[in-house]
Amino acid sequence: MDIGFLAQYLMNGLMLGMIYALVAVGFTLFFGVLDVIKFSHGDVLTVGAFAGLATFLGLEAAGISHPAIQILIVVIVSIVLIAALGAVIARTIVLPIRSAPPLNTLLITLMLGTVLREAVRLFYPQGANPQPFPALLPTNSLTLGNFNLRLDNVIMLVAGVAVIVGTQLLLNRTKLGLAIRAVAQDEETARTMGVNFTLIVLITFALGSGLAAFAGLMNGLYYNEINFGMGLLLGAIGFSSAIVGGLGNIYGAILGGFLFAGLQTIGAVALPFASAYKDVFAFGVIIAIMAWRPTGLIQEKISERV
Amino acid sequence: MNAARKTKRARAGSPAAARKKKAEAAVMMSAEKLTKRFGGVVALDSLELELRQGEILGLIGPNGSGKTTFFNVVTGIYPANDGHVRFDGADITNASPQSVYHAGIARTFQRSRLSLPLSIFDNIMIGNHARLNQGLWFNLISRAAFKQEFEESFETARELVHIFDAPLADRMFDPVAGLPMIDRRRIEICRALISQPKLLLLDEPSAGMTHEETAQLMDDILEVRGRMEGLSIIIVEHEMGVIERITERCVVLNFGRKIAEGTFKQISNDREVQEAYLGIE
Amino acid sequence: MNSGEKQTPATLWPALAGTALTIVYVILLLKVESQTEVIGLLVVGALAILATSWSGHLARAGQALTHHESILHLLVIFGALVIIGFFREDHFTLLLLTTVMLYVLATLGLNLQFGYAGVLNFAGASFFGIGGYTAAVLGAHTPVPDLLIILAGGVMAALIGSILLLPVLRTRGHYAAVVTIAFALLFKVFLEVNDILGGPQGLQVPGMEMFGWKFNNNIEIGALELSFYVNYLIVILLVLIAAFALVRRLERSWVGLNLDALRLDETAATCFGLNIVRWKVTAFLLGNFLIGIAGALSGMVIGFVAPTSFTFADSLILVSIVLLGGIGNVWGLVLATAIVVIIPEKLQAIQEYRFLLYAAMVMLMLLFRPEGLLPRPVRHYFPGWRPK
């Protein structure tokens, strides 16, 4: 296989990895502060992508057609809306049952995901069909042999890296990040130190959901199409990535995201006659990893008091 | 009621006489250089401990001194880093919890670990695992044989509960969730005793109960021991009244090391023990 | 079951009357077509349940029947036969009834895993599908008798499920969830891209044939003509009775106790000698076996299998039924399946919204009544048994 194809696969893998990592970081953030799995995360992403699309259509209708302004407004509206949605979900659904068995949280958020997914399918105009997503970024490209380097992909990759680094800085360098980490370490101690627990949880959920909205837009821009069911698979992949990386560990989540994308890409390259099996291969490897390392590659520290 | 309590206490016999008799009894369990580390923390530090058959040994020490860790290492929940545990002539170091139980050690937990939605009877039967037929054919197909075993087990369990609290024995199919702490403690002890273990490990049985309730529970434990020939007990407890009343000998731990050993009187006069408890350097 | 004779038959009358009314109600609900009638009936049903539970009649009737379980079982079988008999020519309603019964069968298996042993399985529909595809392949390409094919469906589901044993046994909680979720997604993609198994179009499943009797032919007894679905319903009813008895006995034995013990507190259970691996494996394999059997039967009744029937959303519906009914309660499964399957079929207005409504229903249930519609009662090893 020639180098151009490989570069194409690499680029593709990086894009997917970035999207997966953004989703996985959300899972890991939620788990960090509340020890819960919010399985509706993938469908929150879908809502984010559709909110972005609706905003774009609204802008078109209002006659605002400058691409830079369009992308800016689409990104801001989508992220702000979805961050608010995440906080509302945390407030009304996740916090009230946090003392229930963890399984209940998992189930209730799975069901919430179904509600969101079905709501998009039923209530978005023509929501049951895939919707074309506009190319809001410049699509100029540079062709090197078989390799086609598109400018929009480069912009997205850079933006993705910036968002992940920004999140990292927010968590490690700011007072807010300190509060989030304090809550993740030990809720009781954080409370006694004067941290407003509920507020921090809501902010964390808003942050994680905002990341999902960003990932949803990236996904739409990359594939130029979105559909109501996209969040299910992305959510499952993000969840698997966060788990494989070791829940509660942000680097683990990023690692897990790129690992999954890597597996899919390897699946597509290495199984040339059966590249359709790339997802089967990737999920199969995830199951194998769970059998090998039951709490992920970067081990979660579990100490049960007996 | 009070009269009954008194006769119970009388039957338990004088501690001094019992102590004398036990001194000649065989060693039931021993720990040799038992060590357990969690990362850099040494929870058990070359612990040496011996328990004779039929003895009641108190295991005391400040919080975090390694008492519960000792139970968890003996029962196979945590692997030991070094040293040995011998029980009834066999080496059970790092044996699985299942085989420790089958060897004849049963325990209670610091934070009562009953299965709350299940009935009293169910909870006690969990402890009876070794004596119940676990075959699929027996359980699913030969229902007549199963019924016989069920009825026999029910009688045994009922009698045991009856020793602790007669009214409770009439409520064997009530869920545990609705019961007060003292009844839960009783059931937990019944769950541990139903398999007729040779060694009973009690982890803070008085936690969450009043003095009055604790005293009652201790009377019941002594009565049961009177009925079960050769049952040895190790009890972890913060309530010094309990330790004084029911133990024949005490071992004091601090930072995973044994710092004193002897009767309650001896250890309570021990300078190092006082320092450990009062935190004097 | 044979004790408790001292209870006079008089106390059973309200229960018998209640059962008769329930049968009539179900028949009416299945019979009516107009949407206002359906809504009216649902309202009447809900009001009747509220009124009788408020007056205490419902609890008393329930108590009487749990004390006389054999009577309850006879009544339910009788009721099922009456309903089948009533709709003997109505293909649509009979197919709906087979769906209900097969879902009950599948959720019995899920209940073993999740309700008793606490082993999460978010791939129920996949194992259902394995049963269906097994029936398709064996039915079309081998002369294996159909009765064995049904069993083979269960065996295949258990066998393929055993690939997951290692990760399922080693992981707990969220980590265990990811294993079965990954499998559910993997399975659907696999079916779609696999040409041998028909790809997205799926496969035809030959109809059942037993002792020369073709199940896909309508039955004619003199002037009486019965829909061919009656054939299937009788077989499915028999299988369901057997599975129900098996699960019930299992629950009311030391095995059921072991499963509860390991679900509620694994650490405590090991300290009392329980072999966690043995019982988790038993529950997982037996559960998948039942789900696989249901899938094989389903494939034969419907006549084809396709990937779209075995999605993650379908697995979630199975889990929803167990949760709605009341985790661990077998009668709860029957009630919840009836609600989840029948109401959206009858109420066309909500059919399009059914996934949304199921999900919302389960959310409300988890928030406000996590024990489910029929909370599981404390175990009685022999109902009506009294200590001597």
Side-chain angles (χ1 to χ4, degrees):
Chain A
M1 189 174 300
D2 91 353
I3 201 93
F5 269 123
L6 279 182
Q8 197 74 59
Y9 277 118
L10 182 69
M11 190 66 197
N12 186 40
L14 283 175
M15 281 303 297
L16 289 178
M18 188 62 74
I19 295 172
Y20 299 161
L22 285 167
V23 182
V25 166
F27 276 107
T28 237
L29 279 176
F30 307 147
F31 187 81
V33 289
L34 272 187
D35 285 5
V36 299
I37 295 295
K38 179 173 159 281
F39 211 90
S40 51
H41 196 48
D43 299 294
V44 166
L45 176 153
T46 310
V47 177
F50 274 84
L53 178 59
T55 311
F56 166 76
L57 295 174
L59 288 174
E60 288 278 285
I64 301 168
S65 56
H66 190 284
I69 296 175
Q70 276 185 341
I71 183 84
L72 197 69
I73 293 180
V74 162
V75 169
I76 290 172
V77 168
S78 167
I79 288 179
V80 168
L81 268 180
I82 299 312
L85 176 66
V88 169
I89 290 171
R91 179 74 261 183
T92 55
I93 290 161
V94 182
L95 278 174
I97 62 158
R98 59 185 295 254
S99 51
L103 176 65
N104 287 23
T105 324
L106 184 83
L107 290 167
I108 204 168
T109 55
L110 269 170
M111 295 305 158
L112 174 67
T114 309
V115 168
L116 293 174
R117 188 159 64 243
E118 287 291 300
V120 169
R121 181 175 74 92
L122 293 163
F123 304 127
Y124 192 88
Q126 302 288 312
N129 302 325
Q131 307 287 319
F133 201 88
L136 295 172
L137 294 169
T139 50
N140 313 1
S141 65
L142 187 65
T143 306
L144 303 162
N146 281 324
F147 179 48
N148 189 14
L149 182 68
R150 284 172 47 161
L151 185 56
D152 56 349
N153 290 359
V154 176
I155 295 174
M156 280 192 269
L157 267 186
V158 172
V161 171
V163 165
I164 285 180
V165 171
T167 309
Q168 193 57 242
L169 289 176
L170 176 77
L171 286 175
N172 289 329
R173 298 283 167 81
T174 65
K175 249 185 144 169
L176 176 64
L178 183 67
I180 292 177
R181 282 182 295 136
V183 169
Q185 277 292 323
D186 183 11
E187 179 193 333
E188 280 313 309
T189 317
R191 276 181 197 271
T192 49
M193 305 286 282
V195 173
N196 183 339
F197 173 74
T198 308
L199 183 68
I200 292 301
V201 168
L202 297 188
I203 290 176
T204 311
F205 272 70
L207 174 65
S209 305
L211 292 178
F214 188 81
L217 294 176
M218 261 180 87
N219 195 70
L221 290 169
Y222 187 58
Y223 288 110
N224 297 117
E225 186 183 282
I226 56 178
N227 65 71
F228 75 94
M230 67 195 245
L232 182 63
L233 198 64
L234 278 173
I237 292 172
F239 179 46
S240 305
S241 306
I243 289 253
V244 163
L247 274 176
N249 182 318
I250 196 161
Y251 298 103
I254 297 166
L255 171 80
F258 282 99
L259 177 75
F260 198 96
L263 286 173
Q264 279 182 321
T265 311
I266 292 170
V269 179
L271 309 168
F273 302 108
S275 60
Y277 287 91
K278 68 186 195 321
D279 288 348
V280 175
F281 172 73
F283 280 118
V285 174
I286 292 287
I287 293 175
I289 290 177
M290 294 316 295
W292 172 48
R293 285 281 182 92
T295 58
L297 290 173
I298 299 175
Q299 307 271 315
E300 181 193 358
K301 285 189 182 63
I302 301 177
S303 59
E304 191 194 11
R305 274 199 69 189
V306 179
Chain B
M1 185 72 194
N2 257 338
R5 291 274 163 217
K6 260 176 206 151
T7 53
K8 261 190 200 174
R9 216 166 295 174
R11 216 182 307 147
S14 90
R19 218 173 293 139
K20 203 164 184 187
K21 206 179 96 204
K22 297 291 142 55
E24 298 122 38
V27 173
M28 188 79 237
M29 192 205 82
S30 64
E32 294 153 22
K33 290 195 175 347
L34 195 61
T35 302
K36 174 70 199 167
R37 284 182 290 268
F38 293 105
V41 183
V42 185
L44 291 177
D45 191 352
S46 303
L47 184 67
E48 298 276 341
L49 190 145
E50 218 175 65
L51 179 77
R52 297 189 172 273
Q53 191 175 18
E55 192 179 20
I56 302 188
L57 177 77
L59 193 58
I60 58 180
N63 276 329
S65 58
K67 302 172 306 255
T68 298
T69 305
F70 175 68
F71 278 9
N72 287 339
V73 171
V74 169
T75 52
I77 293 181
Y78 299 151
N81 294 97
D82 207 357
H84 289 278
V85 181
R86 285 181 219 288
F87 175 71
D88 205 14
D91 189 333
I92 59 159
T93 324
N94 296 342
S96 68
Q98 283 101 323
S99 42
V100 171
Y101 162 83
H102 284 287
I105 300 181
R107 71 174 289 182
T108 67
F109 296 90
Q110 201 174 59
R111 294 181 297 170
S112 157
R113 292 186 86 139
L114 291 171
S115 298
L116 297 181
L118 303 186
S119 65
I120 299 177
F121 175 69
D122 278 358
N123 269 286
I124 296 175
M125 279 307 111
I126 290 172
N128 207 16
H129 191 264
R131 294 149 61 91
L132 300 175
N133 188 334
Q134 304 292 348
L136 273 182
W137 183 267
F138 173 84
N139 275 279
L140 302 184
I141 314 294
S142 4
R143 289 298 276 184
F146 174 78
K147 189 168 186 181
Q148 197 184 341
E149 185 174 281
F150 160 74
E151 283 174 338
E152 286 165 10
S153 319
F154 181 82
E155 245 348 276
T156 323
R158 211 185 56 82
E159 277 167 24
L160 185 61
V161 175
H162 198 271
I163 297 175
F164 283 84
D165 190 53
L168 206 56
D170 296 329
R171 304 168 57 191
M172 294 292 277
F173 288 103
D174 281 10
V176 171
L179 299 177
M181 193 44 112
I182 170 129
D183 285 341
R184 294 190 190 180
R185 290 283 177 203
R186 286 169 171 149
I187 295 161
E188 232 202 325
I189 294 171
C190 289
R191 177 174 70 174
L193 287 174
I194 189 82
S195 60
Q196 304 202 334
K198 296 172 194 148
L199 170 59
L200 174 65
L201 306 177
L202 294 172
D203 198 346
E204 278 197 53
S206 79
M209 294 199 299
T210 64
H211 283 282
E212 182 63 23
E213 288 172 337
T214 310
Q216 273 183 34
L217 191 68
M218 292 308 136
D219 286 342
D220 298 334
I221 291 174
L222 288 175
E223 182 178 347
V224 171
R225 198 191 51 144
R227 293 185 181 200
M228 294 174 90
E229 201 57 44
L231 171 69
S232 319
I233 300 176
I234 303 182
I235 177 169
V236 164
E237 189 50 76
H238 281 297
E239 199 72 38
M240 285 307 143
V242 171
I243 293 288
E244 182 169 16
R245 242 192 57 244
I246 81 163
T247 65
E248 291 145 4
R249 199 162 57 90
C250 293
V251 166
V252 189
L253 298 186
N254 196 19
F255 296 114
R257 277 182 307 114
K258 179 164 78 180
I259 58 168
E261 185 170 5
T263 63
F264 181 75
K265 210 165 204 154
Q266 289 166 344
I267 57 125
S268 51
N269 290 327
D270 188 293
R271 174 127 184 88
E272 202 180 344
V273 174
Q274 289 169 353
E275 279 172 5
Y277 268 92
L278 299 174
I280 304 165
E281 285 299 310
Chain C
M1 261 166 258
N2 38 25
S3 59
E5 249 84 318
K6 55 182 183 279
Q7 213 137 9
T8 51
T11 55
L12 263 177
W13 281 117
L16 291 177
T19 315
L21 280 175
T22 311
I23 296 174
V24 173
Y25 180 79
V26 173
I27 288 179
L28 277 176
L29 185 62
L30 289 171
K31 184 80 196 159
V32 296
E33 301 275 336
S34 109
Q35 295 299 294
T36 42
E37 282 169 4
V38 173
I39 294 170
L41 270 176
L42 290 174
V43 171
V44 168
L47 286 179
I49 289 171
L50 283 177
T52 49
S53 73
W54 178 76
S55 70
H57 282 93
L58 191 66
R60 252 174 284 153
Q63 228 162 24
L65 285 174
T66 41
H67 279 282
H68 298 83
E69 243 192 14
S70 38
I71 296 180
L72 170 67
H73 293 156
L74 286 177
L75 283 176
V76 171
I77 294 169
F78 171 76
L81 290 174
V82 168
I83 294 168
I84 293 171
F86 188 90
F87 292 102
R88 58 192 174 275
E89 292 171 19
D90 180 350
H91 293 320
F92 173 79
T93 306
L94 291 176
L95 179 59
L96 192 58
L97 287 174
T98 61
T99 313
V100 171
M101 280 159 60
L102 290 173
Y103 266 58
V104 173
L105 184 55
T107 47
L108 274 174
L110 200 61
N111 186 50
L112 263 182
Q113 304 171 330
F114 166 68
Y116 297 157
V119 175
L120 290 174
N121 184 355
F122 287 110
S126 312
F127 294 111
F128 196 86
I130 292 172
Y133 273 89
T134 306
V137 172
L138 288 184
H141 303 289
T142 66
V144 179
D146 283 340
L147 217 49
L148 286 183
I149 290 185
I150 298 171
L151 284 178
V155 171
M156 263 322 261
L159 221 74
I160 294 182
S162 62
I163 298 172
L164 296 184
L165 274 179
L166 188 65
V168 161
L169 286 172
R170 279 171 58 96
T171 51
R172 288 193 199 182
H174 325 297
Y175 298 95
V178 77
V179 173
T180 49
I181 291 174
F183 180 76
L185 297 171
L186 177 156
F187 181 75
K188 163 113 191 303
V189 178
F190 176 80
L191 289 182
E192 275 174 347
V193 297
N194 191 311
D195 293 331
I196 302 168
L197 292 176
Q201 274 73 47
L203 295 173
Q204 300 275 332
V205 187
M208 215 188 277
E209 191 181 326
M210 236 173 249
F211 315 112
W213 180 272
K214 287 196 168 41
F215 275 43
N216 281 8
N217 293 345
N218 290 346
I219 312 162
E220 279 172 54
I221 308 167
L224 197 66
E225 188 168 319
L226 305 180
S227 155
F228 69 94
Y229 280 121
V230 173
N231 293 317
Y232 288 106
L233 274 165
I234 300 299
V235 170
I236 292 171
L237 186 64
L238 290 175
V239 173
L240 186 56
I241 290 171
F244 193 89
L246 178 83
V247 172
R248 256 285 129 114
R249 283 189 167 193
L250 186 136
E251 185 202 347
R252 293 168 170 173
S253 72
W254 307 138
V255 177
L257 176 62
N258 290 340
L259 299 186
D260 282 333
L262 79 87
R263 177 186 81 247
L264 292 164
D265 191 337
E266 222 173 271
T267 310
T270 51
C271 286
F272 292 105
L274 229 95
N275 185 338
I276 302 288
V277 171
R278 176 182 171 192
W279 297 116
K280 272 194 179 175
V281 168
T282 306
F284 194 66
L285 294 189
L286 200 55
N288 283 341
F289 177 72
L290 291 182
I291 299 173
I293 283 185
L297 283 165
S298 164
M300 290 173 168
V301 175
I302 299 172
F304 76 97
V305 284
T308 45
S309 321
F310 313 118
T311 63
F312 182 58
D314 295 289
S315 295
L316 277 185
I317 289 178
L318 293 177
V319 175
S320 306
I321 290 174
V322 177
L323 284 169
L324 276 180
I327 301 174
N329 186 338
V330 282
W331 288 116
L333 299 178
V334 179
L335 178 67
T337 310
I339 292 175
V340 164
V341 176
I342 295 178
I343 293 180
E345 280 301 333
K346 295 306 291 187
L347 213 54
Q348 272 128 29
I350 66 164
Q351 194 161 27
E352 182 69 5
Y353 300 90
R354 63 185 191 285
F355 288 114
L356 186 85
L357 290 171
Y358 293 156
M361 236 158 50
V362 175
M363 282 176 68
L364 291 175
M365 189 66 90
L366 285 167
L367 279 172
F368 300 111
R369 194 182 159 94
E371 70 275 22
L373 290 173
L374 296 180
R376 177 178 173 196
V378 156
R379 176 190 347 268
H380 284 278
Y381 293 79
F382 297 92
W385 182 86
R386 290 268 168 281
K388 292 179 192 95

